[in-house]
Amino acid sequence: MTDNSSHPAKSYTVSLHYDRRLYKHDVAGSIAHTKMLARRGVITDKDAELIATGLAAIREEIELGEFLWRDDLEDLHMNIEARLHQKIGEAAGKVHTGRSRNDQVATAMRLYTKEVIIKTVASVRALQRALVTQAEANLTTIVPGYTHLQRAQPVLLAHHFLAYFHMLERDAARFQEAHRRADVMPLGSAALAGAAYSLDREWVARELGFSRISENSMDAVSDRDFVLDYQYAAAACMMHLSRFAEELVLWSSEEFGFVRLADQFTTGSSIMPQKRNPDFAELARGKTGRVYGHLVGLLTVLKGLPLTYNRDLQEDKEGFFDTVDTLLATLGVFAPMVGTMIVRADRMLQATEAGYMLATDLADYLVRRGVPFRKAHGVVAELTKYAASKGKTYKQLGLEEYKKFSPDFAAGVMDITEEASLAARDVPGGTAPARVLEQLEAAKTTLEAAGG
Ligand code: ARG
């Protein structure tokens, strides 16, 4: 290798500082390729043994922090190969038979992507479990349900929490689909046209735990769709977490006062001792921006590339790795933050009663007694204005006051309560307690089927 270290712009091409995290995947790919070369008689068993042992020793050096990384060798792949030369001499040159860095890096990236998807899904599941636990603890807690951030209709808090369970369920499915797409083995594609040796690609795929081999060498070395798939799934998941974060910020404010976040997820102010800032939720909301940015960044890197490999493809990594780190860290914060948050059921009920949230139920009551819906709507609007002017909730109005607005109000109107309103929403997917319980059981079954 020429020593380019005096080249003024040399550092521009270096990817070592971030592609180092692919060392395990790179070594695994090289060992599988080497073993296959020996099985096919392309290299001797003795050389294969030397190479495989050398690579395993290098992996250990890296893990022990004893590996001497050299920026002048640009990337992870060249660093490992150069070290192999130092350790075993000439035979090291044979590991690259029928291979190029183009199919090598694509293989390492796919192995890494598959591995982080497994971790990501496990973290999504952990947050889903925290939500199910909170839902179970709040099967009778009533909270205002909102549209336009205006109090709309009472719902069970369990129903609200389970809404996030379902968002995360779709996120998990997107990651699983991304796994299926990443699960394709590129080795054998070589630089772009395929290797000029009789390689057993299927064997290498099995050895590395891939389900299939790529079917077009040109596509295989230039495709990074699988990284995009992860990044899109991550962007959608961060979007869900950001919405949840926004609610936690609102709900933990004194204006709402619906929840109290555990001390470890808030910070005090150095000047205002009464403050408990929801910094973790805010950061989750804020970090969503960079995850979106990395998705758009990679789409933009890829959009102008002619076939096949172009060095631009090296730009697939930093943003992706940051997305992985950001998402895993955010999910890792959310599970305990949700698990430890204190629900202030009294404040939720107070807000529900003060919000005239039974208006729809009162109108429905009149409709059942023969009043056309449009008219019933008008009656309840007038009634609500009146109650508000008197500073009373519906519950605090007497039957005579109701009757002033419509002769169709009778004693039964006094039975219209939050509980009755919930129970009436008895459609599949509705907020009736029996339906929410059904939903909760289904959520638990989903988690059990997913392995806990
Ligand atoms: N560091 C490079 C990357 O990540 C490895 C592949 C380089 N291949 C090449 N033909 N220069 O894309």
Side-chain angles (χ1 to χ4, degrees), residues 13 15 19 74-77 100-102 105 224 309-311 313-317:
T13 57
S15 56
D19 69 14
E74 281 196 355
D75 67 12
L76 161 84
H77 318 290
S100 146
R101 262 195 298 162
N102 300 350
V105 71
R224 293 294 182 274
Y309 181 87
N310 299 273
R311 192 63 180 268
L313 287 172
Q314 180 168 294
E315 289 292 310
D316 62 349
K317 295 180 189 60

Side-chain angles (χ1 to χ4, degrees), residues 34-102:
T34 302
K35 286 189 188 165
M36 180 276 295
L37 289 176
R39 286 171 64 90
R40 278 290 161 108
V42 180
I43 64 172
T44 64
D45 285 342
K46 189 169 156 279
D47 282 342
E49 182 60 33
L50 263 177
I51 293 169
T53 315
L55 286 170
I58 290 171
R59 181 171 51 205
E60 201 171 321
E61 286 175 11
I62 296 173
E63 259 148 29
L64 295 174
E66 290 167 359
F67 190 92
L68 192 69
W69 297 101
R70 287 175 49 189
D71 264 355
D72 59 307
L73 293 174
E74 281 196 355
D75 67 12
L76 161 84
H77 318 290
M78 302 308 283
N79 265 269
I80 291 181
E81 203 180 320
R83 178 73 183 125
L84 191 61
H85 270 278
Q86 283 177 355
K87 286 178 92 77
I88 67 168
E90 274 288 274
K94 299 190 176 177
V95 64
H96 219 49
T97 314
R99 190 180 72 169
S100 146
R101 262 195 298 162
N102 300 350

